[in-house]
Amino acid sequence: MNANEYVESVIQKVEEKNAGQKEFLQAVNEVLHTLTPVIEKEPKYMKHKILERITEPERQVMFRVTWEDDNGEIQVNRGYRIEFNSAIGPYKGGLRLHPSVNIGIIKFLGFEQVFKNALTTLPMGGGKGGSDFDPHGKSDAEVRRFLENFMMELYRHIGPNTDVPAGDIGVGGREIGYMFGTYKKITDRFEGILTGKGLNWGGSLIRPEATGYGATYYLMEMLKSKGTDLNGKKVALSGSGNVAQFAAEKVAELGGTVVTLSDSKGAVYLPSGLTKEMWNGVYETKAIKHGRLSEWAEKFGVDFFPGKNAWQVADKVDVAFPSATQNEITLDDAKMLVDKGTIAVVEGANMPSTLDAIKFFMDNGVLFGPAKAANAGGVAVSGLEMSQNSLRLQWTREEVDKRLHDIMVSIYNTGEYYAKKYGHEGDLLLGSNIGGLVKVADAMIDQGIY
Ligand code: NDP
Ligand code: 2IT
């Protein structure tokens, strides 16, 4: 069997075993197809059945979460924790709370996380979890009661050297706090079982900012490779949550103009850019009050376009910076972005571009910064939070930001290096996938057959 046949045969087996898990199958297709050149040159990966092993989670936990809403009515949700791969360190990855969450979504996220975490240079395996609980419109007390019950099961599967969850969509500082408090109450142990903790109780400076800042640092490396930077560039951001907020802040700081933001209800267009005052308002509306972008738009006298996405509302886009959710850039969106002048796409969200959209960008010479490299800054600073917890120390803002910046440059260089080494110079998707694979696969081989 040659490398190509091997890759196709594994994809086929994964499709048979995981029928209906469309996001997971999409992620596997995207990654495995880029690995052919390394499989061809390194027969050990086929011999050790690395692709069969790396696409099968080590452990999958699914559980019932029962809680009481404010009317005293009993509600039932489903919880997940998928411990995907621990070859290079404890399972690490976020928890997502969104009504769309199902096994296929958590598996795609866990699979991506394995490669992403390997790229960070830090010793972290990959995992992901969450629930189909919808935080929108829930009171603070309902969110707390849900999370207490969620942690009553999750606590037995996690630990500072076993599995360390963090935030993702719908999980920020408030949620991490409720979960940490519950874990402590159950176990009587104060330990680093979650990252994204509050600064007074073991959190790291720069963790809230890390994904958005890190993706912007990565974007700067992409632009530098073409002899340019962010000055005068119009940047279309999607989402208005954690990643979008801090991407917006850093883009503006480095000379770019943030022309769009969005949420699940619609988008805003800001032809002259997001000001500092507007940014403060977004942070207050979304991060503190858990409100809607339309409320912010009304307050600041900005037009809100219901049902539209960020790509549709902007007239001109130099850089597209998807930071909301998966598959938010379809082929049609990609064509529209290229028509609007897009020269670079940097993925703040996980798998925001469909496979045909990615191909279209690459075929049209658009610089493409793939999610598992570009948005790895969040988990990287989570890794630094774990280091600080182990040392029982807290580093300064400057120290963490510098380490984050260095890690993002290293991730960019790894992608470039492997793309060139395997004959696809400039293809950061292929280079990053191969870079992540070789680290994890070699560790798996070293550790025997398991
Ligand atoms: P938040 O919950 O803070 O924000 C999510 C944003 O995306 C909100 O504006 C939300 O709108 C919007 N959104 C969510 N789902 C949809 C949907 N189905 N359609 C349209 N818009 C949607 O999450 P984060 O900012 O943390 O996460 C954003 C993305 O970044 C995700 O893909 C996540 O996996 C990824 N990521 C996050 C990291 C982190 O450290 N937080 C690290 C690396 C990647 P609304 O408010 O209306 O729901
Ligand atoms: O997708 C991601 O990398 C995250 N949601 C962050 C995970 C983490 O453990 O910080």
Side-chain angles (χ1 to χ4, degrees):
M1 202 190 291
N2 67 29
N4 207 26
E5 287 161 355
Y6 173 53
V7 165
E8 293 305 333
S9 80
V10 174
I11 290 177
Q12 198 185 333
K13 273 185 242 161
V14 173
E15 281 173 354
E16 281 162 14
K17 266 192 173 172
N18 302 282
Q21 298 179 6
K22 63 180 182 357
E23 290 84 1
F24 177 54
L25 298 177
Q26 180 184 340
V28 169
N29 256 289
E30 181 244 273
V31 172
L32 265 51
H33 277 132
T34 60
L35 301 178
T36 317
V38 68
I39 303 291
E40 209 165 73
K41 290 234 170 70
E42 301 281 355
K44 63 180 174 179
Y45 296 140
M46 203 191 314
K47 175 165 173 272
H48 285 270
K49 295 220 165 32
I50 288 299
L51 297 188
E52 289 90 332
R53 290 159 71 184
I54 211 164
T55 50
E56 185 68 20
E58 289 175 12
R59 189 177 297 112
Q60 309 186 47
V61 186
M62 250 167 96
F63 51 97
R64 188 182 70 206
V65 185
T66 315
W67 58 283
E68 225 176 336
D69 70 16
D70 285 348
N71 299 319
E73 208 174 300
I74 293 171
Q75 301 288 343
V76 182
N77 286 100
R78 185 173 286 178
Y80 301 86
R81 187 69 188 167
I82 299 203
E83 299 180 332
F84 222 108
N85 193 298
S86 61
I88 63 165
Y91 309 106
K92 181 83 197 86
L95 296 168
R96 176 176 291 193
L97 298 184
H98 194 272
S100 62
V101 162
N102 58 37
I103 186 96
I105 289 187
I106 300 298
K107 264 167 80 174
F108 116 66
L109 290 161
F111 179 68
E112 291 277 305
Q113 200 82 45
V114 173
F115 294 81
K116 182 194 305 192
N117 292 4
L119 289 167
T120 64
T121 71
L122 303 171
M124 298 182 289
K128 201 83 187 192
S131 172
D132 58 0
F133 173 83
D134 184 1
H136 291 109
K138 298 289 191 301
S139 71
D140 200 63
E142 287 176 324
V143 170
R144 178 176 47 74
R145 284 197 296 276
F146 166 78
L147 289 168
E148 285 166 356
N149 286 286
F150 181 77
M151 187 50 93
M152 293 231 287
E153 172 61 32
L154 186 67
Y155 88 93
R156 67 187 88 245
H157 307 291
I158 62 177
N161 298 308
T162 312
D163 183 358
V164 185
D168 193 79
I169 291 177
V171 176
R174 171 182 66 165
E175 291 74 19
I176 295 290
Y178 292 151
M179 286 189 277
F180 189 80
T182 308
Y183 179 91
K184 197 155 50 71
K185 203 152 63 180
I186 301 170
T187 63
D188 198 24
R189 286 199 299 268
F190 190 110
E191 53 191 9
I193 43 91
L194 289 162
T195 58
K197 298 187 288 301
L199 292 179
N200 298 338
W201 41 277
S204 174
L205 286 154
I206 302 284
R207 176 61 189 90
E209 295 89 339
T211 311
Y213 280 16
T216 311
Y217 296 148
Y218 188 89
L219 169 65
M220 294 300 283
E221 295 304 303
M222 291 166 62
L223 295 174
K224 197 162 85 183
S225 75
K226 291 283 177 262
T228 183
D229 59 23
L230 267 171
N231 274 314
K233 300 274 188 314
K234 291 187 190 301
V235 179
L237 269 161
S238 67
S240 46
N242 172 267
V243 178
Q245 288 155 20
F246 290 102
E249 186 178 56
K250 191 51 85 177
V251 163
E253 188 189 313
L254 296 177
T257 306
V258 174
V259 292
T260 62
L261 289 173
S262 67
D263 70 4
S264 53
K265 300 289 178 197
V268 294
Y269 180 41
L270 312 157
S272 31
L274 184 78
T275 63
K276 185 69 195 156
E277 195 195 349
M278 286 171 154
W279 187 92
N280 289 339
V282 172
Y283 185 80
E284 192 191 335
T285 305
K286 300 295 287 188
I288 298 176
K289 295 187 174 157
H290 304 281
R292 306 237 67 118
L293 190 62
S294 56
E295 294 160 20
W296 170 83
E298 202 177 329
K299 195 166 162 193
F300 282 82
V302 171
D303 283 338
F304 182 78
F305 299 93
K308 297 264 187 228
N309 69 26
W311 332 122
Q312 291 165 332
V313 298
D315 291 333
K316 176 159 191 338
V317 177
D318 296 306
V319 176
F321 203 145
S323 301
T325 193
Q326 63 274 1
N327 294 327
E328 55 168 319
I329 300 185
T330 62
L331 178 59
D332 285 346
D333 295 323
K335 287 179 179 164
M336 190 169 53
L337 283 167
V338 169
D339 283 345
K340 291 181 180 187
T342 299
I343 58 154
V345 177
V346 59
E347 296 191 321
N350 283 307
M351 205 170 73
S353 314
T354 59
L355 291 172
D356 48 8
I358 296 176
K359 183 168 184 318
F360 187 81
F361 286 135
M362 290 189 173
D363 290 347
N364 284 275
V366 175
L367 285 170
F368 183 75
K372 63 177 76 60
N375 73 35
V379 74
V381 175
S382 279
L384 300 178
E385 182 170 327
M386 290 166 71
S387 309
Q388 293 168 82
N389 291 166
S390 298
L391 292 166
R392 299 189 189 280
L393 282 176
Q394 193 172 48
W395 294 330
T396 62
R397 216 182 141 78
E398 292 68 31
E399 167 89 40
V400 181
D401 196 31
K402 182 180 180 313
R403 285 179 187 260
L404 168 64
H405 185 267
D406 291 350
I407 288 172
M408 296 316 298
V409 172
S410 150
I411 294 173
Y412 179 84
N413 290 339
T414 299
E416 249 197 350
Y417 168 81
Y418 281 102
K420 193 167 176 191
K421 177 166 176 182
Y422 288 100
H424 291 258
E425 194 164 351
D427 183 343
L428 296 170
L429 177 67
L430 178 142
S432 303
N433 286 343
I434 293 180
L437 177 90
V438 295
K439 183 166 178 190
V440 177
D442 290 347
M444 288 168 75
I445 293 170
D446 289 346
Q447 292 168 28
I449 300 173
Y450 74 97

